Amino acid sequence: MSDKLVNGCSSGQKNYSHCNGTAQQKETPTQGKDVRVWCDGCYDMVHFGHANSLRQAKALGDKVIVGIHTDDEITKHKGPPVFTEEERVKMVKGIKWVDEVVLGAPYVTTLEVLDKNNCDFCVHGDDITMTAEGVDTYHLVKSANRYKEVRRTAGVSTTDLVGRMLLLTRNHFRQGSAEYDIEKEAKMLKLLQIKSHPGSSNMGQDSAAKSPWTGCSQFLPTTQKIIQFSDGKSPNAGDKIVYVAGAFDLFHVGHLDFLEKASKLGDYLIVGLHTDPVVNSYKGSNYPIMNLHERVLSVLACKFVNEVVIGAPYCVTEELLDHFKIDVVCHGRTPIAMEDGKIDPYAVPKTRAIFELIDSGNEMTTERIVERIISHRLEYERRNQAKEKKEIEAFEALQRQKQTQKAG
């Protein structure tokens, strides 16, 4: 490939707008050819932040191809993943904006992997990902001007979610006037003060121990974000409408398999999400790990889901069934908690003979994920401390570079 540049981009490639910058416009296909966008990463504990980056990537092309690192590759560079590579592949395949998934993507993205998969360019969030040696994993595609950035989703990271589980924090589902309080410092320049707090193990909760990219402020939901995640389609006349309800906390492969089976019972799948206090009433401890707003986006990103009821009643009522014209109500094999210890929440659909139990065939539960995290606590703490240290060093280097450029 020629190194000659045309308008700031490699002559061997199309003239991408905003090469090596935050891209906003979709590429124009050449001679009817689809624009294929490459994204890669660990995709461990897939959450709505991952989904949002893939949504933004899809807006820049026609097809999104996702490369996933193997368990061995992740362990080498950042420590053991929470989920296996098989689980991670399944989760990414379940995201509505993904067209193809490739397992075994190299940790450092190469031009060869883009060409092998017929991809025009690579897209990643505006954070820095580094190898175990501290090398920017996208330096090769950046140099070749086959790289674009999208905005990282503020307010969520795998590190933060792991921290919630380990610390049993509860501030992620506050109610009332404190619901949207931002406790954690979000401004990047404050990170330069972290040297007085080396090796903090608070993992996503301590503002003084955060890198600029894994650091989280409280997630602030907007109607625009919900609209972006929703397909906006209403059921067609004659569609068979299926309804399921639950917490769907830490959206995982068990949920995915269940929703896939539920979707096959009809034409349009509606998911009812219980409020945080309701989930906590039947789950206890610090559940749900993700608050209602976060769970809404996680479920909406699933390709099997058509609509979400935000704050659905725990008991499936006559009004709900009639309003949404529901034909089938489903539940998985997990135990059904009685409301007030005696009321069956599915009594009405059972009376109407439209209730079905589904066996997803998957034993994964939110509780099992938490068990995995807790059983490997020290490993995850070491992993995230090392990750934060590398990111902070990279951020400080960028600040020094900016200062040098200003002085020059």
Side-chain angles (χ1 to χ4, degrees):
M1 182 181 299
S2 170
D3 291 328
K4 184 179 178 181
L5 298 182
V6 179
N7 294 326
C9 296
S10 172
S11 61
Q13 302 300 316
K14 290 192 293 294
N15 183 4
Y16 304 130
S17 61
H18 306 293
C19 282
N20 289 353
T22 301
Q24 301 296 335
Q25 296 180 340
K26 182 175 180 177
E27 291 298 328
T28 303
T30 302
Q31 297 178 348
K33 174 184 174 293
D34 283 341
V35 174
R36 290 169 62 86
V37 182
W38 175 267
C39 299
D40 57 24
C42 303
Y43 295 95
D44 195 21
M45 287 189 65
V46 173
H47 50 68
F48 64 90
H50 295 122
N52 192 39
S53 69
L54 295 171
R55 178 192 65 80
Q56 294 178 83
K58 187 63 174 276
L60 299 175
D62 302 295
K63 302 286 185 181
V64 171
I65 294 79
V66 180
I68 298 180
H69 308 316
T70 63
D71 294 344
D72 289 342
E73 190 81 344
I74 295 172
T75 301
K76 172 185 174 183
H77 290 283
K78 62 186 292 186
V82 178
F83 288 99
T84 67
E85 56 195 42
E86 291 81 11
E87 291 168 334
R88 292 185 285 113
V89 165
K90 179 180 283 189
M91 284 297 295
V92 173
K93 282 184 176 180
I95 296 174
K96 63 171 68 172
W97 299 286
V98 174
D99 297 287
E100 300 173 24
V101 174
V102 178
L103 178 62
Y107 209 75
V108 175
T109 308
T110 63
L111 300 179
E112 288 74 20
V113 78
L114 295 189
D115 293 338
K116 181 180 178 181
N117 291 280
N118 300 312
C119 291
D120 297 272
F121 53 88
C122 171
V123 170
H124 189 257
D126 54 356
D127 55 335
I128 289 183
T129 305
M130 289 172 287
T131 67
E133 295 78 26
V135 176
D136 180 357
T137 59
Y138 294 101
H139 74 280
L140 297 174
V141 289
K142 286 178 180 178
S143 298
N145 293 312
R146 294 177 69 180
Y147 174 84
K148 293 188 178 187
E149 283 184 353
V150 294
R151 288 185 180 276
R152 177 184 174 275
T153 305
V156 65
S157 74
T158 300
T159 305
D160 182 61
L161 295 176
V162 169
R164 294 183 196 181
M165 286 179 267
L166 290 177
L167 299 174
L168 297 181
T169 55
R170 297 171 62 88
N171 58 9
H172 53 280
F173 55 91
R174 286 181 168 183
Q175 299 295 309
S177 61
E179 185 172 4
Y180 303 119
D181 282 357
I182 299 178
E183 291 188 341
K184 307 158 206 152
E185 182 60 57
K187 295 179 181 178
M188 287 187 179
L189 293 179
K190 290 285 288 182
L191 294 162
L192 298 179
Q193 301 173 7
I194 59 91
K195 288 184 178 179
S196 61
H197 302 274
S200 171
S201 62
N202 283 352
M203 296 180 63
Q205 303 300 317
D206 180 5
S207 63
K210 301 307 298 168
S211 88
W213 299 291
T214 53
C216 289
S217 58
Q218 184 85 355
F219 170 62
L220 299 176
T222 63
T223 54
Q224 182 184 21
K225 189 63 64 187
I226 293 176
I227 291 170
Q228 289 171 340
F229 271 57
S230 173
D231 60 21
K233 297 176 182 177
S234 299
N236 297 316
D239 277 354
K240 187 177 183 180
I241 300 176
V242 181
Y243 179 78
V244 301
F248 293 92
D249 193 17
L250 290 177
F251 195 81
H252 53 68
V253 288
H255 296 137
L256 191 67
D257 285 342
F258 168 71
L259 292 174
E260 181 178 15
K261 288 206 170 185
S263 69
K264 291 178 179 177
L265 295 178
D267 307 295
Y268 193 91
L269 178 61
I270 300 175
V271 178
L273 288 177
H274 300 146
T275 64
D276 300 332
V278 168
V279 174
N280 187 252
S281 71
Y282 62 81
K283 288 277 193 178
S285 187
N286 68 324
Y287 292 105
I289 303 299
M290 301 183 82
N291 67 38
L292 178 60
H293 310 297
E294 296 171 319
R295 292 183 284 119
V296 166
L297 295 183
S298 297
V299 173
L300 278 175
C302 176
K303 67 181 182 181
F304 304 117
V305 176
N306 300 103
E307 183 62 286
V308 168
V309 179
I310 304 173
Y314 186 66
C315 287
V316 181
T317 63
E318 298 271 3
E319 291 78 11
L320 185 145
L321 296 178
D322 293 340
H323 178 80
F324 292 105
K325 299 179 173 59
I326 294 166
D327 299 291
V328 183
V329 177
C330 304
H331 187 77
R333 294 291 177 180
T334 55
I336 300 174
M338 299 292 106
E339 186 173 53
D340 297 328
K342 55 185 178 182
I343 302 173
D344 182 353
Y346 294 101
V348 173
K350 285 178 180 178
T351 301
R352 291 191 180 189
I354 61 171
F355 180 76
E356 291 193 30
L357 283 174
I358 295 177
D359 185 356
S360 69
N362 195 311
E363 299 298 321
M364 179 60 70
T365 63
T366 301
E367 289 77 13
R368 289 195 174 194
I369 296 172
V370 175
E371 287 172 5
R372 285 188 188 184
I373 295 293
I374 292 175
S375 65
H376 295 89
R377 173 171 185 148
L378 293 179
E379 290 178 81
Y380 292 125
E381 286 188 345
R382 283 193 294 267
R383 182 186 80 174
N384 286 288
Q385 286 169 13
K387 184 173 186 289
E388 286 180 353
K389 183 175 183 292
K390 285 192 295 183
E391 290 178 346
I392 289 164
E393 289 172 350
F395 177 70
E396 291 180 332
L398 285 173
Q399 295 302 307
R400 288 193 297 270
Q401 184 180 17
K402 288 179 180 178
Q403 290 298 324
T404 301
Q405 290 173 345
K406 284 183 179 179

